[in-house]
Amino acid sequence: MVIEGRAGIGKTRLVQDTRALAKERGFGRLQAVGDALEGAMAWGVVRQMVERSVSRYSGEIREKILAGPSGAALTALDTAAADPSEAELGRTLHALWWVAVDLSSTRPLLITVDDAHWADLSSLQFLVYLSRRIADLPIALVVATRPPAESTGPLAQLSVSRQAERMLPRPLTPDALGELIGPADETVVTAVHAASGGNPFLARVLVDELAALGLPLDAASTADRVGKLGPSTIFRAAMGRLPGEAIHLARAAAVLGTGCDPWLAAAIVGLNPGGLSVAVEALVAANVLADDGDHLVFIHPVVREAVLAELGPVGRSTLHARAATRLWTAKAAADRVAAHLAQAPRGTLPNAADVLRKAAASLLASGDARTAVAHLTRAVDERPDDAGLRAELGRALLRAGDATEARRHLRVAAAGLPNAELVAAAASATAVVDGPAAAIAELNAAIGDWTIGVRDNGRLHLEARLAVIRSFLADQRHAASEHLNLFADLRGRTPDERTLLGLLAQMGRYEVRPSSEVAETALRALSNGAYFDDATGSTDAMVAWVVALLALISSDGVDDARREIDRARSRVRAHGSPVEFAMVANAALFLNWRLGNVRFMEAESEGTLAAIQHEDPVPQVVALRATSTHFAAYAAMERGDFECMAAVLAKFDAEHADAPRMMPMMWLHEPRALLALATGDPIKARTEAFQQRDAMLAVGVDPPSIPWRLPAVRAAMLLGDEAEALTLAEEQLAIARKWGAATEVGAALRLLAHADAARRLDLLTESVAVLETSPARLQLARSLVDLGEALRVARRRTDARTPLHRGIDLATECGSDVLRTRGVEALEALGDRPRKPMFAGREALTASERRVADLAALGRANREIAQELFVTPKTVENHLGRIYTKLGINGRRELAKVLT
């Protein structure tokens, strides 16, 4: 629920009543109030929620709380602050979501955030993240905010979200206002309504001011005075009759922010303990502050705003300077000190630049690049000759999307602190400002001026950045290939060496170099997990890791690839985001497609799409969905479920119709072509296959592991164009032999056998022999079944039985119902009965249910399964309920027995 309205309209009262109702009903409760000062602190609102739930306790109770979800939340935030990488935000959001899941596991949970328009960006991002994922959790999220000032950003997303209900409290009518303020002359009510606009808070302030001035509400003459109450009415009504100590304390509290420490507030305005006590009592009695024990909390944010407005900019700056000095002396967190430094005069602290720099790192980790830029800009003002500081500002500006300013600062920094990373970062900014061609020229010039050494680490960093920028440009493919070949002998000892080798492996796959050479290059790039460790700070870098891994898998290096994926999966499970999980899962999908494990493909593709269903459709997420859709379509095809295959492809197309075209979307033409063949439309199949061909040729790639020619050949055969089919099949075999991997050669031989009837038996016999040396079990099964059918047609009935029996067994093992059925029909035509498969109870389950069942049978708790699969515990619970029903069992104790 989003409660949206202007100040004083009643949002806070609605939040308070909601909390009271939740307390009556036994809900757990977390609350926070946005604050303009905390808006500059990473995770300010989230920390406020968690720390409030902890601060009221001590001793064993506090330790117990910290050992649970609340402690996990604080750990997640502290860990994030230490790692300002762009990927850290996703991990932290996911970790905090799990805290909410755990807090709601024993009783319903209410989370309220008032004044969310002042909340920090990272906390708002968490509220959006949470709102998309609580549909099946016992969590009520209530956010009160003024209308968003911008049409974009997390607050605007939350306000218009399909997952949220939006409440817009309306102003009071004159009749309602009359009932609110009690007996009064009608003209006075009308005047108060006109002056307040029906705003309950402002109306109450006006009435209180009239009472203080001794003007009766039941006298018509009072109406004339209402319009003369000026803009300072709120401050005068709330504070005008309070002692000086109380006004000073209120000013300090307003500057320090929501829930400030009274002793700190007293210190910055020079109040002794006695004066503090008197001032607090006066402010509570006047309904300015709430009696909140250890904190000073304004009854209403409008009063605090009035106090700040009356204080003026110079007064506010002075108090911020005192607050920063006191907090620094007390060794407070850098982000809290920096929030005051940002609004204090320059020179407030001797080490202000260092404090601001540290706070900016935390903000970058939380995804708030804009505030980080503001802090670093101020830090540069404090220490303008610090090249390192200016470099950090440049990088932050790049993250914030201001490439022009980023380049300016990075170039200044590079001039004062010669550093290849700064030159490379400036070139990245140039790519945004002036285009990649300008960036390439800039990097070539920098490399030409580099005199330290050809293989110096700084030079290699420039070479790596040049290679990355070139890799995205089709017209640079030839130059990129020549450039990357210069580094074929690197050992992969540094991140830049691994980047160059990874790109070289990708280039080798696309240019169809010998697969053994590509596999060896990919292994050096991967470096036993080091490349993945390099990549985990950036989703773009993780894409490069995936591409290097695909090159290895395409080279039939499946054992090394499996070890790499297992290592990456363990790391992501321990501390990863849904997007990182999906990237590793996509690599696993490609591996198991290669191996022919249809059931794994089905479960993994379903799980990946579920894990990232609520992620924003940025290019990386769209690419992940495209790849998962690709393999989900393959799995449905092997099951013979063409309706499901069509639905999977149509769902992706509908959800991403406006997405920019990218490589993984290009590959979807092949399953569309295969679907057209399966449903009797060879013309559409050929059209889809040729669309993929044209898209691939446009970017200069045609690897045999992306076989668009397969559906094209089959379509040409159905359309009676045997010459075209034969030409395309021979092309595929030639490319496959050039590549050299047994999987592609064997599959291409089988394809050619379909187009060349005269040599069919010989080609299929060779295909089987080649695939016996390949890890691709399903490809072997296809060739065995095809060979058996060809032998049957050739009336070599006895010879046909062995390949058919073996092909059926392999198809069953791989999970291809379509291939198994075709093999069985061929065998039955020989008069044989195939061996009946020994189906266990698990065959009644869907792929996702089988995965959950296997984990549950191993003794994993629901929460552990949910964490491993990046879904909710409720989803696991629902799966298990269906599993028990399908298997006819009562619970976990019987599960392992049934699945064995």
Side-chain angles (χ1 to χ4, degrees):
M1 172 71 74
V2 176
I3 306 170
E4 186 179 305
R6 56 197 177 96
I9 202 68
K11 303 185 298 296
T12 297
R13 178 60 180 271
L14 285 167
V15 170
Q16 290 169 347
D17 286 356
T18 302
R19 290 185 55 77
L21 184 61
K23 183 176 181 179
E24 290 176 14
R25 296 189 177 183
F27 278 59
R29 298 175 306 286
L30 290 178
Q31 65 172 315
V33 179
D35 179 80
L37 185 71
E38 285 193 349
M41 300 180 198
W43 305 110
V45 160
V46 172
R47 280 191 182 277
Q48 192 185 132
M49 283 185 210
V50 179
E51 289 170 356
R52 279 189 176 189
S53 69
V54 175
S55 62
R56 71 188 72 170
Y57 301 102
S58 61
E60 291 184 8
I61 296 177
R62 181 186 179 92
E63 290 177 8
K64 185 176 180 180
I65 292 172
L66 288 172
S70 295
L74 294 174
T75 299
L77 299 181
D78 292 339
T79 303
D83 181 8
S85 67
E86 62 187 70
E88 186 61 27
L89 176 62
R91 299 175 195 149
T92 306
L93 290 172
H94 190 66
L96 291 172
W97 176 78
W98 265 108
V99 171
V101 171
D102 290 341
L103 287 170
S104 66
S105 62
T106 55
R107 58 175 175 165
L109 177 66
L110 170 68
I111 301 174
T112 60
V113 179
D114 200 3
D115 292 330
H117 47 279
W118 282 323
D120 59 283
L121 179 62
S122 45
S123 293
L124 286 174
Q125 288 171 319
F126 172 64
L127 294 179
V128 173
Y129 190 92
L130 179 63
S131 72
R132 294 173 177 173
R133 294 164 172 80
I134 59 175
D136 61 351
L137 295 173
I139 296 177
L141 174 63
V142 178
V143 177
T145 178
R146 295 179 190 175
E150 300 175 351
S151 59
T152 58
L155 191 58
Q157 291 178 42
L158 198 64
S159 184
V160 300
S161 169
R162 289 179 299 174
Q163 289 84 14
E165 293 186 50
R166 191 161 168 245
M167 178 183 286
L168 303 173
R170 293 177 294 176
L172 297 173
T173 63
D175 289 344
L177 181 60
E179 186 175 339
L180 177 70
I181 65 178
D185 184 86
E186 186 175 343
T187 58
V188 174
V189 173
T190 301
V192 171
H193 187 271
S196 66
N199 184 294
F201 178 81
L202 296 179
R204 187 58 87 178
V205 168
L206 288 170
V207 170
D208 289 346
E209 181 69 355
L210 291 172
L213 294 172
L215 298 171
L217 296 179
D218 56 1
S221 58
T222 299
D224 295 333
R225 298 291 300 274
V226 172
K228 298 176 182 178
L229 298 176
S232 62
T233 297
I234 294 175
F235 180 81
R236 189 169 62 250
M239 312 287 293
R241 284 161 291 282
L242 290 174
E245 292 87 348
I247 293 175
H248 291 316
L249 183 64
R251 288 169 174 165
V255 165
L256 287 170
T258 299
C260 71
D261 178 357
W263 298 102
L264 176 61
I268 68 172
V269 291
L271 281 180
N272 58 35
L276 171 61
S277 178
V278 171
V280 169
E281 288 178 7
L283 290 167
V284 170
N287 280 327
V288 173
L289 297 180
D291 186 3
D292 193 35
D294 296 332
H295 303 92
L296 299 180
V297 179
F298 279 87
I299 289 287
H300 201 284
V302 174
V303 175
R304 179 180 173 229
E305 290 177 69
V307 173
L308 287 172
E310 183 273 339
L311 185 56
V314 175
R316 290 195 298 271
S317 179
T318 301
L319 290 180
H320 279 300
R322 293 179 189 173
T325 303
R326 286 277 178 174
L327 288 167
W328 177 58
T329 303
K331 295 182 171 51
D335 58 353
R336 185 163 294 277
V337 180
H340 291 285
L341 277 176
Q343 301 183 60
R346 187 186 304 176
T348 295
L349 290 178
N351 65 334
D354 296 325
V355 174
L356 289 160
R357 168 189 264 160
K358 187 174 181 180
S362 296
L363 288 160
L364 285 171
S366 71
D368 188 356
R370 186 167 60 181
T371 309
V373 164
H375 278 359
L376 288 168
T377 301
R378 173 59 186 276
V380 169
D381 287 344
E382 294 272 353
R383 213 155 63 203
D385 296 329
D386 189 329
L389 197 57
R390 194 176 291 273
E392 290 183 35
L393 173 57
R395 293 190 182 99
L397 282 161
L398 266 181
R399 288 273 296 274
D402 190 347
T404 302
E405 274 297 289
R407 180 172 65 177
R408 182 175 72 83
H409 284 287
L410 287 166
R411 285 177 172 175
V412 172
L417 183 71
N419 183 300
E421 290 188 9
L422 297 180
V423 174
S428 295
T430 294
V432 177
V433 178
D434 297 327
I440 289 169
E442 189 173 315
L443 284 165
N444 275 322
I447 290 168
D449 292 339
W450 198 268
T451 58
I452 299 176
V454 175
R455 291 298 174 89
D456 168 75
N457 287 340
R459 165 105 179 230
L460 281 178
H461 186 73
L462 296 173
E463 302 278 14
R465 187 60 57 92
L466 174 62
V468 168
I469 293 175
R470 273 179 167 158
S471 69
F472 292 101
L473 304 173
D475 63 349
Q476 287 281 324
R477 189 165 297 282
H478 181 69
S481 179
E482 290 185 346
H483 178 231
L484 288 168
N485 284 334
L486 299 174
F487 307 100
D489 62 336
L490 293 176
R491 303 313 308 162
R493 290 169 293 194
T494 68
D496 292 315
E497 288 191 6
R498 293 189 281 271
T499 295
L500 288 162
L501 289 169
L503 291 170
L504 181 61
Q506 176 191 24
M507 187 68 70
R509 179 190 175 205
Y510 287 157
E511 293 184 346
V512 198
R513 297 179 185 177
S515 60
S516 58
E517 173 190 314
V518 171
E520 198 271 336
T521 301
L523 281 172
R524 277 185 283 136
L526 294 168
S527 296
N528 293 315
Y531 196 19
F532 183 81
D533 292 341
D534 298 341
T536 50
S538 163
T539 49
D540 287 339
M542 277 197 71
V543 170
W545 171 79
V546 171
V547 168
L549 197 54
L550 298 191
L552 178 61
I553 296 168
S554 298
S555 305
D556 282 344
V558 296
D559 292 332
D560 290 313
R562 185 184 290 109
R563 284 190 289 272
E564 182 75 22
I565 290 169
D566 287 345
R567 276 193 298 264
R569 201 186 287 275
S570 296
R571 174 159 178 168
V572 168
R573 283 171 184 161
H575 182 50
S577 68
V579 170
E580 290 172 308
F581 167 81
M583 285 187 166
V584 176
N586 272 194
L589 276 167
F590 191 84
L591 172 64
N592 282 276
W593 169 71
R594 188 80 173 182
L595 295 171
N597 190 339
V598 175
R599 293 187 183 92
F600 183 97
M601 281 166 47
E602 183 183 8
E604 193 80 5
S605 58
E606 287 179 7
T608 304
L609 290 169
I612 58 173
Q613 64 178 319
H614 299 301
E615 297 294 321
D616 288 329
V618 296
Q620 295 94 334
V621 170
V622 175
L624 291 169
R625 289 175 181 164
T627 304
S628 298
T629 296
H630 193 162
F631 291 113
Y634 276 161
M637 180 181 69
E638 295 297 336
R639 293 197 320 271
D641 191 344
F642 302 116
E643 286 187 8
C644 176
M645 186 180 184
V648 165
L649 292 166
K651 184 175 187 294
F652 177 86
D653 292 340
E655 292 178 351
H656 304 95
D658 299 327
R661 313 316 289 170
M662 58 188 73
M663 296 283 270
M665 295 172 72
M666 185 191 306
W667 311 146
L668 288 174
H669 287 297
E670 186 207 357
R672 291 193 192 102
L674 294 171
L675 176 62
L677 287 172
T679 53
D681 191 347
I683 294 176
K684 182 178 180 182
R686 182 161 64 177
T687 299
E688 290 284 357
F690 285 171
Q691 282 181 337
Q692 180 162 323
R693 174 201 63 188
D694 295 344
M696 291 168 63
L697 290 176
V699 294
V701 302
D702 190 14
S705 54
I706 305 171
W708 62 268
R709 291 180 181 82
L710 186 152
V713 167
R714 290 174 56 188
M717 294 289 290
L718 289 171
L719 293 170
D721 194 343
E722 287 87 359
E724 179 182 87
L726 185 60
T727 299
L728 290 173
E730 287 175 340
E731 284 179 5
Q732 183 69 18
L733 181 58
I735 295 171
R737 288 196 189 283
K738 182 180 178 183
W739 177 241
T743 298
E744 270 69 45
V745 173
L749 285 165
R750 184 176 69 250
L751 181 64
L752 182 57
H754 283 281
D756 189 346
R759 295 192 294 155
R760 183 164 298 158
L761 277 174
D762 290 342
L763 288 168
L764 287 172
T765 300
E766 185 181 358
S767 173
V768 169
V770 170
L771 287 169
E772 291 285 8
T773 66
S774 157
R777 299 294 85 190
L778 186 55
Q779 295 284 10
L780 175 58
R782 289 181 181 132
S783 292
L784 285 166
V785 170
D786 283 1
L787 177 60
E789 286 182 324
L791 289 167
R792 179 182 65 80
V793 170
R795 300 191 178 187
R796 294 170 56 181
R797 300 170 66 87
T798 301
D799 293 339
R801 288 183 171 88
T802 298
L804 283 173
H805 275 294
R806 186 155 178 243
I808 291 167
D809 289 345
L810 277 174
T812 303
E813 180 185 320
C814 291
S816 176
D817 298 336
V818 168
L819 184 59
R820 184 182 188 280
T821 298
R822 186 156 66 83
V824 166
E825 289 173 352
L827 200 58
E828 288 176 341
L830 294 173
D832 275 22
R833 290 186 177 182
R835 292 182 289 271
K836 290 186 177 181
M838 299 299 292
F839 289 128
R842 58 183 288 126
E843 299 304 321
L845 308 177
T846 68
S848 295
E849 288 168 352
R850 283 197 297 269
R851 172 172 287 190
V852 171
D854 288 341
L855 291 171
L858 292 172
R860 306 275 183 86
N862 287 10
R863 187 186 188 282
E864 293 175 306
I865 297 172
Q867 282 191 308
E868 183 163 334
L869 301 182
F870 281 72
V871 295
T872 68
K874 185 68 174 179
T875 299
V876 175
E877 183 183 325
N878 292 339
H879 273 317
L880 287 172
R882 290 192 294 270
I883 289 165
Y884 300 153
T885 300
K886 288 182 178 181
L887 299 181
I889 60 178
N890 295 318
R892 283 173 176 263
R893 291 184 179 181
E894 303 172 60
L895 194 56
K897 185 185 298 184
V898 173
L899 294 178
T900 303

